[in-house]
């Protein structure tokens, strides 16, 4: 991971946020090539799930929304992490991360840990069965504060920073960022930065239904920033306070559609997007079903598509059957009716939803991790060419030969009309190749003395390092063919 983070900084993929002023925790800026990679992932997501489908339309809702939106969704009361502070060194940590990391490191002792909780008497405040299930599945999200405290005191999990066992009592910390609008402070001016893009979709459900020709089943897709006051540090852009989500609410009538079948179709579409869309290795992916304790009470089924990052298998993309919970909450809180009319029966239907929700920055980090290779002298990012920041790099063999430079500029200008390209005439050709390998440019075109004689150029392949000669007029078609798999 350290090597990937170093490459990302060195070559302009990701920079720490506000670095000039000492940095700002859990924020990152995307550099010139990072911006291109991020944009390519977003474009591919949009193209796959909106443009190529006839049943999904797009939306771009405001980042700041009314406090009532978040009251209705349950975020103001329930969208929180359980935090602990070490009284010795003041280190702050999420209790679920602390416990889950501890269990992952002590897997062989899980049976022994579970047996300890057989001795805890059943009470209304603590349920040993829930605790045991959390420990067996190594997922304690959804347990109560008291249950979490019980686990900590039984397992004596120490502070990863100072090694002491001296925690504050677990407490809840809301993740939403409040914003105060205008000059008047107080309840009236309180709004929130959105904690997920999904609520913008539910709030605009009626607008979309009334302004378009959608018919059930249909989806509304949104791509954009969300904000969460996260405290966990590390692992680059995996978990940040400002991040991009790609979310779809897929609305359907549970009386006409089988939810299990729809759920399976979405699983297949998500898997395919990662493998064939982003070119990621299948062996690094897996599905994880949420446990009953972990799953939200309104969800009938939740599964996470996980990727094997260098720091372990982690959630990339969640798929949840959220029933009609969100629309009903907004009906209750807004006092408005939200429904569609079934054209066959003329009946009002409050649709149910299946929600695939992905973090674009996690897809970005996955793309870097999956593409990173060290081969002898060189480090290569074997990105899928469609994701690569630049598709082609154009070089004159020598920068002091005017004839070569002007021909290279001509080729560069021609390719730039249809492809995102870069030009380099600094240093020797070997160094230029190494630089392009590190930013994942799939093809390098060199204009040399033979070009002046016969109008052909050298095309070097990033992955094989093989070089072939291609006539200049054939270059655009040559690369387009490779890109349109
Ligand atoms: N609407 C459902 C929802 O927001 P979520 O599991 O909280 O579900 C969906 O978020 C996805 O957003 C996650 O699978 C993850 O990829 C991404 N995500 C969530 N929090 C994030 C954070 N702090 N930084 C980066 N990505 C995050």
């Amino acid at each position: 991971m350290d090597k990937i983070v170093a490459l990302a900084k060195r070559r302009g993929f990701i920079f720490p946020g506000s670095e000039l002023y000492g940095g700002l925790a859990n924020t990152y800026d995307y550099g010139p090539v990072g911006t291109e990679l991020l944009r390519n992932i977003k474009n591919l997501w949009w193209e796959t799930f909106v443009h190529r489908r006839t049943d999904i339309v797009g939306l771009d809702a405001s980042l700041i929304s009314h406090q009532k939106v978040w009251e209705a969704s349950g975020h103001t009361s329930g969208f929180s992490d359980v935090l602990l502070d070490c009284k010795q060194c003041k280190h702050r940590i999420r209790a679920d991360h602390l416990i889950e990391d501890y269990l992952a490191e002590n897997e062989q002792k899980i049976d022994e840990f579970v047996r300890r909780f057989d001795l805890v008497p059943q009470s209304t405040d603590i349920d040993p069965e829930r605790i045991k299930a959390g420990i067996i599945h190594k997922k304690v999200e959804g347990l109560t504060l008291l249950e979490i405290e019980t686990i900590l005191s039984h397992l004596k999990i120490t502070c990863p920073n100072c090694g002491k066992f001296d925690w504050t009592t677990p407490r809840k910390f809301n993740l939403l960022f409040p914003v105060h609008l205008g000059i008047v402070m107080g309840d009236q001016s309180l709004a929130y930065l959105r904690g997920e893009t999904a609520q913008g979709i539910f709030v605009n459900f009626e607008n979309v239904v009334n302004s378009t020709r959608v018919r059930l089943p249909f989806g509304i897709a949104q791509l954009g920033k969300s904000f969460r006051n996260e405290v966990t540090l590390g692992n680059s852009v995996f978990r940040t306070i400002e991040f991009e989500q790609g979310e779809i609410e897929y609305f359907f009538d549970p009386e006409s559609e089988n939810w299990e079948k729809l759920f399976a179709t979405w699983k297949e579409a998500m898997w395919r997007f990662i493998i064939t869309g982003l070119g990621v290795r299948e062996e690094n992916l897996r599905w994880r079903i949420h446990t009953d304790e972990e799953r939200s009470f309104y969800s009938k089924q939740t599964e996470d598509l996980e990727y094997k990052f260098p720091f372990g298998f982690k959630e990339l993309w969640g798929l949840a059957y959220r029933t009609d919970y969100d629309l009903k909450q907004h009906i209750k809180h807004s006092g408005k009716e939200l429904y569609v009319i079934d054209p066959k029966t003329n009946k009002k239907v409050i649709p149910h939803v299946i929600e695939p929700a992905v973090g674009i920055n996690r897809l970005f980090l996955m793309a870097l991790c999956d593409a990173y290779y060290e081969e002898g002298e060189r480090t290569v990012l074997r990105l899928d060419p469609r994701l690569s920041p630049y598709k082609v790099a154009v070089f004159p063999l020598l920068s002091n030969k005017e004839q070569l430079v002007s021909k290279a500029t001509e080729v560069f200008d021609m390719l730039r009309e249809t492809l995102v390209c870069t030009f380099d005439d600094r240093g020797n050709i070997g160094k230029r190749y190494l630089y392009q390998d590190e930013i994942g440019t799939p093809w390098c075109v060199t204009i040399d003395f033979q070009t002046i004689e016969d109008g052909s150029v050298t095309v070097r392949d990033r992955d094989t390092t093989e070089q072939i000669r291609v006539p200049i007029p054939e270059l655009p078609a040559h690369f387009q063919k490779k890109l349109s798999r």
Side-chain angles (χ1 to χ4, degrees), residues 25-28 81 94 96-97 100 139 141 175 228-243 311 314-315 361-362 365:
N26 288 344
T27 66
Y28 289 90
D81 286 336
R94 262 175 71 169
D96 59 340
H97 287 175
E100 286 161 15
K139 274 281 159 199
E141 211 177 315
L175 293 173
R228 295 182 189 177
N229 207 349
E230 304 274 5
V231 298
T232 310
L233 287 174
N235 294 330
S236 182
V237 296
F238 180 78
R239 190 183 308 281
T240 50
I241 56 177
E242 178 185 336
F243 56 98
F311 42 93
K314 297 279 171 204
E315 175 184 348
N361 315 81
R362 288 191 188 177
L365 190 61

mmCIF file of all heavy atoms in Angstrom, residues 25-28 81 94 96-97 100 139 141 175 228-243 311 314-315 361-362 365:
data_model
loop_
_atom_site.group_PDB
_atom_site.id
_atom_site.type_symbol
_atom_site.label_atom_id
_atom_site.label_comp_id
_atom_site.label_asym_id
_atom_site.label_seq_id
_atom_site.Cartn_x
_atom_site.Cartn_y
_atom_site.Cartn_z
ATOM 1 N N ALA A 25 -6.881 16.059 7.797
ATOM 2 C CA ALA A 25 -7.124 14.620 7.888
ATOM 3 C C ALA A 25 -8.284 14.159 7.018
ATOM 4 O O ALA A 25 -9.314 14.826 6.935
ATOM 5 C CB ALA A 25 -7.401 14.252 9.346
ATOM 6 N N ASN A 26 -8.081 13.014 6.389
ATOM 7 C CA ASN A 26 -9.129 12.360 5.598
ATOM 8 C C ASN A 26 -9.648 13.188 4.424
ATOM 9 O O ASN A 26 -10.800 13.041 4.017
ATOM 10 C CB ASN A 26 -10.299 11.931 6.486
ATOM 11 C CG ASN A 26 -9.935 10.746 7.356
ATOM 12 O OD1 ASN A 26 -8.946 10.064 7.095
ATOM 13 N ND2 ASN A 26 -10.724 10.505 8.383
ATOM 14 N N THR A 27 -8.790 14.081 3.897
ATOM 15 C CA THR A 27 -9.139 14.777 2.652
ATOM 16 C C THR A 27 -8.003 14.565 1.655
ATOM 17 O O THR A 27 -6.840 14.468 2.051
ATOM 18 C CB THR A 27 -9.349 16.295 2.851
ATOM 19 O OG1 THR A 27 -8.094 16.881 3.223
ATOM 20 C CG2 THR A 27 -10.398 16.608 3.891
ATOM 21 N N TYR A 28 -8.343 14.487 0.394
ATOM 22 C CA TYR A 28 -7.341 14.285 -0.659
ATOM 23 C C TYR A 28 -7.718 15.119 -1.865
ATOM 24 O O TYR A 28 -8.903 15.402 -2.097
ATOM 25 C CB TYR A 28 -7.284 12.804 -1.079
ATOM 26 C CG TYR A 28 -6.663 11.945 -0.002
ATOM 27 C CD1 TYR A 28 -7.452 11.372 0.987
ATOM 28 C CD2 TYR A 28 -5.286 11.743 0.047
ATOM 29 C CE1 TYR A 28 -6.892 10.616 2.002
ATOM 30 C CE2 TYR A 28 -4.713 10.980 1.057
ATOM 31 C CZ TYR A 28 -5.518 10.415 2.030
ATOM 32 O OH TYR A 28 -4.961 9.678 3.027
ATOM 33 N N ASP A 81 -21.475 6.568 14.134
ATOM 34 C CA ASP A 81 -20.472 5.549 14.455
ATOM 35 C C ASP A 81 -20.305 5.542 15.959
ATOM 36 O O ASP A 81 -20.518 6.563 16.614
ATOM 37 C CB ASP A 81 -19.121 5.919 13.837
ATOM 38 C CG ASP A 81 -19.110 5.692 12.340
ATOM 39 O OD1 ASP A 81 -19.913 4.864 11.864
ATOM 40 O OD2 ASP A 81 -18.312 6.350 11.657
ATOM 41 N N ARG A 94 -12.895 4.198 15.890
ATOM 42 C CA ARG A 94 -14.237 3.616 15.781
ATOM 43 C C ARG A 94 -14.221 2.269 16.476
ATOM 44 O O ARG A 94 -13.362 1.424 16.197
ATOM 45 C CB ARG A 94 -14.595 3.418 14.311
ATOM 46 C CG ARG A 94 -15.455 4.544 13.764
ATOM 47 C CD ARG A 94 -15.682 4.376 12.298
ATOM 48 N NE ARG A 94 -16.581 3.266 11.976
ATOM 49 C CZ ARG A 94 -17.090 3.060 10.770
ATOM 50 N NH1 ARG A 94 -16.801 3.895 9.791
ATOM 51 N NH2 ARG A 94 -17.881 2.044 10.529
ATOM 52 N N ASP A 96 -16.151 -0.319 16.209
ATOM 53 C CA ASP A 96 -16.325 -1.503 15.352
ATOM 54 C C ASP A 96 -15.016 -1.845 14.649
ATOM 55 O O ASP A 96 -14.639 -3.007 14.542
ATOM 56 C CB ASP A 96 -17.492 -1.322 14.356
ATOM 57 C CG ASP A 96 -17.328 -0.130 13.431
ATOM 58 O OD1 ASP A 96 -16.550 0.786 13.760
ATOM 59 O OD2 ASP A 96 -17.986 -0.102 12.369
ATOM 60 N N HIS A 97 -14.280 -0.816 14.205
ATOM 61 C CA HIS A 97 -12.996 -1.092 13.536
ATOM 62 C C HIS A 97 -12.008 -1.724 14.513
ATOM 63 O O HIS A 97 -11.304 -2.677 14.163
ATOM 64 C CB HIS A 97 -12.396 0.205 12.966
ATOM 65 C CG HIS A 97 -13.137 0.694 11.757
ATOM 66 N ND1 HIS A 97 -12.862 1.877 11.122
ATOM 67 C CD2 HIS A 97 -14.172 0.141 11.067
ATOM 68 C CE1 HIS A 97 -13.679 2.033 10.097
ATOM 69 N NE2 HIS A 97 -14.484 0.991 10.042
ATOM 70 N N GLU A 100 -13.203 -5.362 15.200
ATOM 71 C CA GLU A 100 -13.121 -6.233 14.015
ATOM 72 C C GLU A 100 -11.664 -6.501 13.616
ATOM 73 O O GLU A 100 -11.314 -7.625 13.231
ATOM 74 C CB GLU A 100 -13.917 -5.620 12.862
ATOM 75 C CG GLU A 100 -15.423 -5.776 13.097
ATOM 76 C CD GLU A 100 -16.303 -4.841 12.277
ATOM 77 O OE1 GLU A 100 -15.816 -4.247 11.300
ATOM 78 O OE2 GLU A 100 -17.488 -4.706 12.644
ATOM 79 N N LYS A 139 -18.228 -8.958 12.709
ATOM 80 C CA LYS A 139 -18.956 -7.736 12.306
ATOM 81 C C LYS A 139 -19.795 -7.290 13.493
ATOM 82 O O LYS A 139 -20.789 -7.937 13.834
ATOM 83 C CB LYS A 139 -19.887 -8.033 11.114
ATOM 84 C CG LYS A 139 -19.198 -7.916 9.787
ATOM 85 C CD LYS A 139 -19.057 -6.489 9.349
ATOM 86 C CE LYS A 139 -17.959 -6.330 8.316
ATOM 87 N NZ LYS A 139 -17.471 -4.976 8.171
ATOM 88 N N GLU A 141 -21.068 -4.083 13.841
ATOM 89 C CA GLU A 141 -21.936 -2.961 13.497
ATOM 90 C C GLU A 141 -23.365 -3.348 13.856
ATOM 91 O O GLU A 141 -23.784 -4.483 13.613
ATOM 92 C CB GLU A 141 -21.840 -2.731 11.988
ATOM 93 C CG GLU A 141 -22.012 -1.291 11.572
ATOM 94 C CD GLU A 141 -21.833 -1.170 10.062
ATOM 95 O OE1 GLU A 141 -20.888 -1.757 9.512
ATOM 96 O OE2 GLU A 141 -22.680 -0.494 9.457
ATOM 97 N N LEU A 175 -22.592 11.311 11.870
ATOM 98 C CA LEU A 175 -21.671 11.527 10.748
ATOM 99 C C LEU A 175 -22.064 12.687 9.839
ATOM 100 O O LEU A 175 -21.298 13.099 8.980
ATOM 101 C CB LEU A 175 -21.616 10.251 9.898
ATOM 102 C CG LEU A 175 -20.983 9.037 10.567
ATOM 103 C CD1 LEU A 175 -21.152 7.803 9.703
ATOM 104 C CD2 LEU A 175 -19.510 9.276 10.820
ATOM 105 N N ARG A 228 -19.252 12.739 5.027
ATOM 106 C CA ARG A 228 -19.445 12.071 6.323
ATOM 107 C C ARG A 228 -18.278 12.430 7.235
ATOM 108 O O ARG A 228 -17.119 12.389 6.797
ATOM 109 C CB ARG A 228 -19.500 10.543 6.156
ATOM 110 C CG ARG A 228 -20.700 10.098 5.358
ATOM 111 C CD ARG A 228 -20.780 8.589 5.221
ATOM 112 N NE ARG A 228 -21.829 8.273 4.257
ATOM 113 C CZ ARG A 228 -22.144 7.067 3.852
ATOM 114 N NH1 ARG A 228 -21.504 6.016 4.326
ATOM 115 N NH2 ARG A 228 -23.112 6.860 2.971
ATOM 116 N N ASN A 229 -18.588 12.731 8.473
ATOM 117 C CA ASN A 229 -17.547 13.146 9.416
ATOM 118 C C ASN A 229 -16.808 11.920 9.970
ATOM 119 O O ASN A 229 -16.993 11.545 11.116
ATOM 120 C CB ASN A 229 -18.196 13.965 10.535
ATOM 121 C CG ASN A 229 -17.211 14.929 11.143
ATOM 122 O OD1 ASN A 229 -16.014 14.848 10.885
ATOM 123 N ND2 ASN A 229 -17.706 15.834 11.950
ATOM 124 N N GLU A 230 -15.981 11.315 9.116
ATOM 125 C CA GLU A 230 -15.276 10.074 9.461
ATOM 126 C C GLU A 230 -14.065 10.379 10.332
ATOM 127 O O GLU A 230 -13.359 11.360 10.084
ATOM 128 C CB GLU A 230 -14.764 9.385 8.188
ATOM 129 C CG GLU A 230 -15.810 9.077 7.141
ATOM 130 C CD GLU A 230 -16.507 7.746 7.380
ATOM 131 O OE1 GLU A 230 -16.249 7.108 8.408
ATOM 132 O OE2 GLU A 230 -17.330 7.358 6.529
ATOM 133 N N VAL A 231 -13.770 9.511 11.300
ATOM 134 C CA VAL A 231 -12.584 9.746 12.137
ATOM 135 C C VAL A 231 -11.436 8.798 11.811
ATOM 136 O O VAL A 231 -10.289 9.064 12.156
ATOM 137 C CB VAL A 231 -12.883 9.633 13.653
ATOM 138 C CG1 VAL A 231 -13.880 10.676 14.095
ATOM 139 C CG2 VAL A 231 -13.326 8.239 14.037
ATOM 140 N N THR A 232 -11.751 7.677 11.136
ATOM 141 C CA THR A 232 -10.700 6.686 10.875
ATOM 142 C C THR A 232 -9.705 7.207 9.845
ATOM 143 O O THR A 232 -10.087 7.640 8.767
ATOM 144 C CB THR A 232 -11.317 5.374 10.351
ATOM 145 O OG1 THR A 232 -12.358 5.025 11.237
ATOM 146 C CG2 THR A 232 -10.290 4.277 10.282
ATOM 147 N N LEU A 233 -8.431 7.134 10.189
ATOM 148 C CA LEU A 233 -7.386 7.626 9.285
ATOM 149 C C LEU A 233 -6.764 6.479 8.510
ATOM 150 O O LEU A 233 -6.820 5.345 8.937
ATOM 151 C CB LEU A 233 -6.274 8.276 10.104
ATOM 152 C CG LEU A 233 -6.556 9.638 10.729
ATOM 153 C CD1 LEU A 233 -5.391 10.036 11.599
ATOM 154 C CD2 LEU A 233 -6.778 10.686 9.650
ATOM 155 N N GLY A 234 -6.130 6.839 7.402
ATOM 156 C CA GLY A 234 -5.286 5.867 6.700
ATOM 157 C C GLY A 234 -5.901 5.263 5.477
ATOM 158 O O GLY A 234 -7.067 5.516 5.147
ATOM 159 N N ASN A 235 -5.083 4.441 4.773
ATOM 160 C CA ASN A 235 -5.510 3.767 3.552
ATOM 161 C C ASN A 235 -6.003 4.712 2.466
ATOM 162 O O ASN A 235 -7.028 4.469 1.819
ATOM 163 C CB ASN A 235 -6.553 2.699 3.857
ATOM 164 C CG ASN A 235 -5.943 1.579 4.665
ATOM 165 O OD1 ASN A 235 -4.763 1.293 4.543
ATOM 166 N ND2 ASN A 235 -6.733 0.964 5.529
ATOM 167 N N SER A 236 -5.292 5.810 2.322
ATOM 168 C CA SER A 236 -5.489 6.727 1.202
ATOM 169 C C SER A 236 -6.960 7.129 1.056
ATOM 170 O O SER A 236 -7.602 7.461 2.040
ATOM 171 C CB SER A 236 -4.943 6.066 -0.067
ATOM 172 O OG SER A 236 -5.049 6.895 -1.169
ATOM 173 N N VAL A 237 -7.491 7.045 -0.175
ATOM 174 C CA VAL A 237 -8.852 7.555 -0.411
ATOM 175 C C VAL A 237 -9.934 6.528 -0.079
ATOM 176 O O VAL A 237 -11.097 6.728 -0.423
ATOM 177 C CB VAL A 237 -9.027 8.034 -1.871
ATOM 178 C CG1 VAL A 237 -8.123 9.218 -2.143
ATOM 179 C CG2 VAL A 237 -8.747 6.904 -2.863
ATOM 180 N N PHE A 238 -9.570 5.431 0.603
ATOM 181 C CA PHE A 238 -10.578 4.409 0.891
ATOM 182 C C PHE A 238 -11.731 4.980 1.722
ATOM 183 O O PHE A 238 -12.906 4.724 1.447
ATOM 184 C CB PHE A 238 -9.959 3.216 1.631
ATOM 185 C CG PHE A 238 -10.973 2.156 1.932
ATOM 186 C CD1 PHE A 238 -11.381 1.281 0.950
ATOM 187 C CD2 PHE A 238 -11.571 2.067 3.184
ATOM 188 C CE1 PHE A 238 -12.354 0.319 1.205
ATOM 189 C CE2 PHE A 238 -12.539 1.109 3.448
ATOM 190 C CZ PHE A 238 -12.930 0.238 2.458
ATOM 191 N N ARG A 239 -11.388 5.762 2.751
ATOM 192 C CA ARG A 239 -12.438 6.337 3.590
ATOM 193 C C ARG A 239 -12.102 7.810 3.823
ATOM 194 O O ARG A 239 -11.114 8.128 4.479
ATOM 195 C CB ARG A 239 -12.503 5.608 4.925
ATOM 196 C CG ARG A 239 -13.693 5.969 5.775
ATOM 197 C CD ARG A 239 -13.666 5.262 7.104
ATOM 198 N NE ARG A 239 -13.482 3.822 6.982
ATOM 199 C CZ ARG A 239 -14.437 2.965 6.660
ATOM 200 N NH1 ARG A 239 -15.662 3.393 6.469
ATOM 201 N NH2 ARG A 239 -14.197 1.672 6.568
ATOM 202 N N THR A 240 -12.892 8.688 3.261
ATOM 203 C CA THR A 240 -12.617 10.118 3.374
ATOM 204 C C THR A 240 -13.878 10.840 3.832
ATOM 205 O O THR A 240 -14.978 10.265 3.812
ATOM 206 C CB THR A 240 -12.162 10.675 2.008
ATOM 207 O OG1 THR A 240 -13.100 10.257 1.018
ATOM 208 C CG2 THR A 240 -10.784 10.187 1.633
ATOM 209 N N ILE A 241 -13.717 12.099 4.222
ATOM 210 C CA ILE A 241 -14.915 12.803 4.703
ATOM 211 C C ILE A 241 -15.749 13.345 3.530
ATOM 212 O O ILE A 241 -16.917 13.628 3.680
ATOM 213 C CB ILE A 241 -14.562 13.929 5.712
ATOM 214 C CG1 ILE A 241 -13.581 14.924 5.147
ATOM 215 C CG2 ILE A 241 -14.036 13.349 7.007
ATOM 216 C CD1 ILE A 241 -13.273 16.078 6.102
ATOM 217 N N GLU A 242 -15.100 13.476 2.389
ATOM 218 C CA GLU A 242 -15.797 13.939 1.184
ATOM 219 C C GLU A 242 -15.496 12.912 0.106
ATOM 220 O O GLU A 242 -14.329 12.614 -0.136
ATOM 221 C CB GLU A 242 -15.201 15.300 0.817
ATOM 222 C CG GLU A 242 -15.746 15.908 -0.409
ATOM 223 C CD GLU A 242 -14.996 17.203 -0.744
ATOM 224 O OE1 GLU A 242 -14.420 17.827 0.161
ATOM 225 O OE2 GLU A 242 -14.995 17.552 -1.915
ATOM 226 N N PHE A 243 -16.507 12.321 -0.486
ATOM 227 C CA PHE A 243 -16.252 11.250 -1.453
ATOM 228 C C PHE A 243 -17.388 11.213 -2.463
ATOM 229 O O PHE A 243 -18.407 11.874 -2.274
ATOM 230 C CB PHE A 243 -16.115 9.896 -0.735
ATOM 231 C CG PHE A 243 -17.312 9.549 0.120
ATOM 232 C CD1 PHE A 243 -18.311 8.704 -0.354
ATOM 233 C CD2 PHE A 243 -17.453 10.077 1.387
ATOM 234 C CE1 PHE A 243 -19.420 8.391 0.426
ATOM 235 C CE2 PHE A 243 -18.566 9.781 2.175
ATOM 236 C CZ PHE A 243 -19.546 8.938 1.686
ATOM 237 N N PHE A 311 -4.856 -4.033 2.270
ATOM 238 C CA PHE A 311 -5.169 -4.062 3.701
ATOM 239 C C PHE A 311 -6.365 -4.975 3.992
ATOM 240 O O PHE A 311 -7.004 -4.874 5.039
ATOM 241 C CB PHE A 311 -5.415 -2.638 4.240
ATOM 242 C CG PHE A 311 -6.241 -1.759 3.342
ATOM 243 C CD1 PHE A 311 -7.613 -1.687 3.506
ATOM 244 C CD2 PHE A 311 -5.656 -1.014 2.332
ATOM 245 C CE1 PHE A 311 -8.392 -0.899 2.680
ATOM 246 C CE2 PHE A 311 -6.431 -0.209 1.495
ATOM 247 C CZ PHE A 311 -7.792 -0.145 1.672
ATOM 248 N N LYS A 314 -12.373 -5.500 1.540
ATOM 249 C CA LYS A 314 -13.177 -4.393 2.080
ATOM 250 C C LYS A 314 -14.313 -4.054 1.116
ATOM 251 O O LYS A 314 -14.197 -4.253 -0.105
ATOM 252 C CB LYS A 314 -12.325 -3.127 2.247
ATOM 253 C CG LYS A 314 -11.194 -3.265 3.233
ATOM 254 C CD LYS A 314 -11.657 -3.108 4.678
ATOM 255 C CE LYS A 314 -10.533 -3.464 5.602
ATOM 256 N NZ LYS A 314 -10.904 -3.882 6.908
ATOM 257 N N GLU A 315 -15.341 -3.443 1.687
ATOM 258 C CA GLU A 315 -16.531 -3.088 0.898
ATOM 259 C C GLU A 315 -16.216 -2.080 -0.202
ATOM 260 O O GLU A 315 -15.551 -1.072 0.019
ATOM 261 C CB GLU A 315 -17.581 -2.480 1.832
ATOM 262 C CG GLU A 315 -18.797 -1.961 1.097
ATOM 263 C CD GLU A 315 -19.801 -1.269 2.013
ATOM 264 O OE1 GLU A 315 -19.673 -1.391 3.248
ATOM 265 O OE2 GLU A 315 -20.701 -0.601 1.469
ATOM 266 N N ASN A 361 -14.443 6.642 -5.395
ATOM 267 C CA ASN A 361 -13.043 6.744 -4.973
ATOM 268 C C ASN A 361 -12.484 5.377 -4.591
ATOM 269 O O ASN A 361 -11.293 5.125 -4.733
ATOM 270 C CB ASN A 361 -12.914 7.721 -3.806
ATOM 271 C CG ASN A 361 -13.730 8.969 -4.076
ATOM 272 O OD1 ASN A 361 -14.941 8.967 -3.872
ATOM 273 N ND2 ASN A 361 -13.084 9.991 -4.579
ATOM 274 N N ARG A 362 -13.368 4.502 -4.114
ATOM 275 C CA ARG A 362 -12.913 3.132 -3.823
ATOM 276 C C ARG A 362 -12.653 2.374 -5.117
ATOM 277 O O ARG A 362 -11.737 1.554 -5.186
ATOM 278 C CB ARG A 362 -13.937 2.403 -2.957
ATOM 279 C CG ARG A 362 -13.927 2.941 -1.554
ATOM 280 C CD ARG A 362 -14.711 2.102 -0.586
ATOM 281 N NE ARG A 362 -14.785 2.817 0.683
ATOM 282 C CZ ARG A 362 -15.454 2.402 1.737
ATOM 283 N NH1 ARG A 362 -16.120 1.268 1.682
ATOM 284 N NH2 ARG A 362 -15.471 3.119 2.850
ATOM 285 N N LEU A 365 -9.252 3.552 -6.162
ATOM 286 C CA LEU A 365 -8.165 2.929 -5.398
ATOM 287 C C LEU A 365 -7.997 1.469 -5.814
ATOM 288 O O LEU A 365 -6.876 0.973 -5.949
ATOM 289 C CB LEU A 365 -8.463 3.033 -3.891
ATOM 290 C CG LEU A 365 -7.324 2.638 -2.962
ATOM 291 C CD1 LEU A 365 -6.111 3.533 -3.169
ATOM 292 C CD2 LEU A 365 -7.761 2.724 -1.499
#
